[in-house]
Amino acid sequence: YNLKLQEIKLEPIMDYISETFQNEAIKKGLTLSIPNVDDIKVLGNHDGLISIFSNLISNAIFYSDKGKITISIKKNLNKLHIKIIDNGIGIAEENYEKIFNRFYRVNPDRSRKTGGTGLGLAIVKHLVKAHNSEIIVNSIENQGSEFSFKLDLIN
């Protein structure tokens, strides 16, 4: 992906994520925690960031049956560290790299029953790369997953 990066306010993106996914999370008995991002600006692409967050939150809801999904945001020097954390089914370490391949599914049976193309994380990987970052996964099976990436802060 070759994205035009520009100054982006994070607040409208978080508002969109909240409006789009809050009810879906509540229906599954999950808490979706979105931080206050007033006045935070990053170098990014609006549609690209919407797609990154939408895919990650959608997956977190899909693969979680309890607990909460948290978007964590921390400023560190000129970078914004972003984490999407869930209490879902988790991912075995040997699948960390594979989950970003197109059409790969950790659990094909679950996908067949409930839909999904296996493209979400492949898209996320390319969009995060287009934002001059990389997506990192940390996960423990049956305990949850954490997907993280960094964006350039604009002060």
Side-chain angles (χ1 to χ4, degrees):
Y1 293 110
N2 195 354
L3 296 181
K4 181 174 185 256
L5 302 182
Q6 57 195 30
E7 184 176 303
I8 299 284
K9 286 184 176 176
L10 263 192
E11 191 173 17
I13 291 170
M14 290 300 123
D15 290 347
Y16 172 85
I17 294 302
S18 180
E19 289 163 18
T20 305
F21 294 103
Q22 203 62 259
N23 285 340
E24 196 180 330
I26 290 166
K27 277 184 199 148
K28 277 195 82 177
L30 302 166
T31 306
L32 177 56
S33 173
I34 298 176
N36 182 335
V37 291
D38 290 355
D39 305 323
I40 295 180
K41 290 181 251 175
V42 296
L43 182 66
N45 176 280
H46 181 270
D47 293 346
L49 290 172
I50 290 278
S51 185
I52 290 167
F53 281 105
S54 294
N55 275 300
L56 291 173
I57 296 298
S58 172
N59 278 356
I61 292 170
F62 183 77
Y63 290 108
S64 298
D65 294 320
K66 65 183 183 336
K68 72 181 195 175
I69 295 160
T70 305
I71 298 176
S72 157
I73 292 185
K74 289 190 173 62
K75 291 180 179 180
N76 187 357
L77 301 172
N78 61 346
K79 296 284 186 191
L80 191 67
H81 295 247
I82 300 167
K83 293 180 183 176
I84 286 82
I85 305 159
D86 68 50
N87 303 117
I89 62 171
I91 303 157
E93 195 169 343
E94 65 266 17
N95 291 322
Y96 282 11
E97 287 303 312
K98 295 178 200 161
I99 60 170
F100 295 104
N101 294 340
R102 292 181 333 159
F103 309 117
Y104 181 80
R105 294 184 178 127
V106 173
N107 184 341
D109 292 342
R110 186 171 185 139
S111 299
R112 238 180 260 118
K113 281 184 230 148
T114 50
T117 59
L119 287 173
L121 289 177
I123 291 167
V124 166
K125 180 180 180 178
H126 290 291
L127 287 172
V128 168
K129 190 172 182 164
H131 282 82
N132 305 312
S133 188
E134 67 174 317
I135 185 94
I136 295 166
V137 61
N138 280 302
S139 184
I140 299 171
E141 282 187 279
N142 304 314
Q143 289 186 34
S145 301
E146 174 186 294
F147 288 85
S148 61
F149 60 98
K150 297 173 187 167
L151 295 172
D152 290 321
L153 266 173
I154 295 178
N155 296 318

